[in-house]
Amino acid sequence: MSPAATNAWSSERAEVLARELADERGALLPVLHALHEEFGYVDPRAVPIVADVLNLSRAEVHGVLSFYRDFRTEPSGRRIVKICQAEACQAVGAVPLATHAQEHLGIRFGETTADGAVSLVDVFCLGNCALGPSVLVDDRVHGRVDDRTLEALLTRERD
């Protein structure tokens, strides 16, 4: 998913998006994706709106929203840094790299720096196994990332 959108949360806009997609087959995921694209996250206030428009229970909407890790329920940082934690990347240093990233940024996976610059996410395959450990900064994959390379990427992304 893309970095944070610039549109401020709006219940009215959320309802419009939900109604526009309500007739699609299996509309819940397209609606959640549209909300995420529009706002950069799916605000928890969207749950009752989506449930009402799609004639679902709030529990059903919340269950899908919380099941998929790519749906954020709070605004993300201006940059999203994803560090692969799959076995191939672990075998070549992804775990210590992740520890270094968390210490360097002062946050854990799933959190955003206090200045809103960077969100750190753990993922379980970027499809770049031969060049691990791999890191995705927004939509760009970086391979063979070590502590120094990661710091350079993080510093560049905070500017």
Side-chain angles (χ1 to χ4, degrees):
M1 301 212 151
S2 61
T6 57
N7 300 324
W9 166 254
S10 162
S11 295
E12 294 79 19
R13 180 67 182 142
E15 184 173 349
V16 167
L17 288 170
R19 290 198 184 284
E20 286 176 356
L21 298 168
D23 291 332
E24 285 198 23
R25 185 174 178 179
L28 181 53
L29 281 174
V31 168
L32 293 176
H33 279 289
L35 293 170
H36 205 280
E37 185 69 26
E38 180 80 12
F39 304 113
Y41 69 109
V42 180
D43 193 291
R45 293 174 287 184
V47 171
I49 295 168
V50 173
D52 181 57
V53 169
L54 300 182
N55 196 29
L56 299 170
S57 71
R58 291 179 184 192
E60 288 173 294
V61 176
H62 174 75
V64 171
L65 180 59
S66 62
F67 178 78
Y68 291 102
R69 297 186 67 191
D70 276 342
F71 289 126
R72 295 184 61 91
T73 56
E74 59 187 37
S76 64
R78 292 182 297 280
R79 295 285 185 244
I80 298 173
V81 176
K82 297 181 179 184
I83 301 177
C84 182
Q85 296 295 287
E87 289 80 2
C89 283
Q90 284 185 23
V92 291
V95 172
L97 181 67
T99 300
H100 181 77
Q102 292 175 76
E103 290 172 355
H104 181 79
L105 291 168
I107 58 174
R108 298 176 108 17
F109 282 128
E111 296 179 344
T112 300
T113 56
D115 63 1
V118 179
S119 291
L120 189 62
V121 180
D122 57 335
V123 294
F124 293 90
C125 193
L126 292 171
N128 198 36
C129 303
L131 299 175
S134 296
V135 174
L136 183 75
V137 179
D138 294 333
D139 293 325
R140 185 166 180 216
V141 176
H142 302 270
R144 295 195 176 118
V145 177
D146 59 18
D147 289 353
R148 192 170 64 200
T149 305
L150 180 65
E151 284 184 25
L153 287 169
L154 294 174
T155 300
R156 182 169 55 228
E157 299 312 324
R158 290 186 78 135
D159 295 336

